[in-house]
Amino acid sequence: MEKLGPGSDADTLHVLAMIPRDSFPLVVDAGSGIGRQTLALAGRLQTAVHAIDTAAKHLDSLNRYSAQFGIAHLVHTHCMDMADIPANFRDVDLLWSECAAYHIGFPNALATWLLAIRPGGYAVVSELSWLRDEVPEHVRAYFRSGYPDMRTVDENLSIARTAGYEVIATHLLSKSAWVDGYYDKLEPLAHSLLQHPEKAVRAFAAQTLEGIRIFDSAEDNYGYVFYVLRKPEGGTAKGT
Ligand SMILES: C[S@@+](CC[C@H](N)C(=O)[O-])C[C@H]1O[C@@H](n2cnc3c(N)ncnc32)[C@H](O)[C@@H]1O
């Protein structure tokens, strides 16, 4: 896999360009995985990006890729929990996280990372979000077990404001970013594992295929939304 979640360099760089600033001395990528977006950010910004992940094997892959692309000097990997970012990084100018914040809970992630961000600094966090109020029952039913914490865009914006951020913009991840290099790779892989001797592997393969089937039939009821947020100068939007 060239990426561990839905995403594309085109979307990453489009969102980066939505931020009304172009220089970020300290960039942290939370839940980087194998670092598709880490490499895109470091390449575009030509500045150091600190990639955080708890999976050492993902960071090993990222280190290999950054060397292949000739930007190893810009990519620094840290095998650690993204919940511990404030204990290890101060005055972050740009906190980036794609398809990963849900691991520690979107509201918790935003509140935790605010502590590490410099006043006037930015957070860009992508989160699976409901896009409509009326959602077909088969889609609701899948996510009742798949991701029961999924919220609407308005609910997530309210969470961001309550945490103390200003909302700068949102961006809906393109549909092709779900398919190209992700679902189109996962689908044949999952099919090949349906007869695997281990029950857990068979179940995971079936669940993956069901997720792809739901995506194909769900139209625009849900999507990955980038929330582009800013920590206000002199504190938070709550005035604390
Ligand atoms: C779905 S992948 C997304 C990876 C990458 N951001 C992308 O979009 O391709 C989520 C990543 O979060 C990492 N992760 C999960 N829990 C974590 C935690 N508490 N702290 C740091 N990384 C974590 C996983 O190891 C995995 O690499």
Side-chain angles (χ1 to χ4, degrees):
M1 301 292 289
E2 64 199 48
K3 55 192 181 190
L4 301 182
S8 77
D9 289 1
D11 284 283
T12 297
L13 297 178
H14 175 79
V15 175
L16 181 63
M18 293 170 103
I19 304 176
R21 198 209 278 188
D22 54 13
S23 164
F24 305 95
L26 180 52
V27 183
V28 171
D29 181 9
S32 64
I34 58 177
R36 179 200 52 75
Q37 70 295 318
T38 320
L39 298 166
L41 292 171
R44 173 59 55 90
L45 293 170
Q46 287 297 306
T47 194
V49 178
H50 295 267
I52 311 296
D53 207 286
T54 42
K57 64 177 183 188
H58 293 337
L59 296 175
D60 289 345
S61 300
L62 173 52
N63 285 329
R64 270 199 313 279
Y65 294 143
S66 64
Q68 278 167 20
F69 293 148
I71 54 170
H73 60 294
L74 296 178
V75 175
H76 304 288
T77 54
H78 306 263
C79 192
M80 55 174 266
D81 195 314
M82 55 186 158
D84 294 335
I85 287 173
N88 292 276
F89 295 90
R90 290 216 167 276
D91 293 333
V92 173
D93 295 281
L94 177 58
L95 188 310
W96 199 277
S97 185
E98 288 191 42
C99 306
Y102 65 90
H103 281 293
I104 60 169
F106 181 72
N108 178 44
L110 291 191
T112 301
W113 296 339
L114 188 76
L115 303 172
I117 298 173
R118 164 194 301 282
Y122 291 84
V124 173
V125 182
S126 82
E127 168 74 356
L128 201 57
S129 309
W130 292 119
L131 303 178
R132 290 183 188 165
D133 294 332
E134 302 292 321
V135 176
E137 182 47 31
H138 74 286
V139 180
R140 278 264 183 232
Y142 176 78
F143 284 105
R144 221 168 272 138
S145 58
Y147 188 32
D149 287 341
M150 184 154 49
R151 301 171 188 83
T152 64
V153 174
D154 280 347
E155 286 169 336
N156 285 329
L157 291 175
S158 169
I159 284 168
R161 291 192 181 99
T162 301
Y165 295 90
E166 294 168 352
V167 176
I168 303 299
T170 59
H171 169 73
L172 177 62
L173 184 73
S174 59
K175 284 205 137 187
S176 60
W178 286 78
V179 177
D180 301 341
Y182 189 58
Y183 276 169
D184 65 0
K185 292 254 167 51
L186 268 184
E187 195 169 19
L189 206 57
H191 267 296
S192 73
L193 293 173
L194 283 176
Q195 309 304 327
H196 195 276
E198 279 182 47
K199 193 177 168 192
V201 175
R202 290 198 303 275
F204 186 65
Q207 191 194 19
T208 301
L209 289 172
E210 176 66 357
I212 296 172
R213 200 183 62 79
I214 292 289
F215 176 79
D216 286 341
S217 71
E219 296 179 352
D220 293 326
N221 286 293
Y222 67 93
Y224 252 106
V225 175
F226 286 82
Y227 296 89
V228 182
L229 310 171
R230 182 175 176 271
K231 178 172 178 173
E233 300 278 358
T236 69
K238 289 188 294 187
T240 53

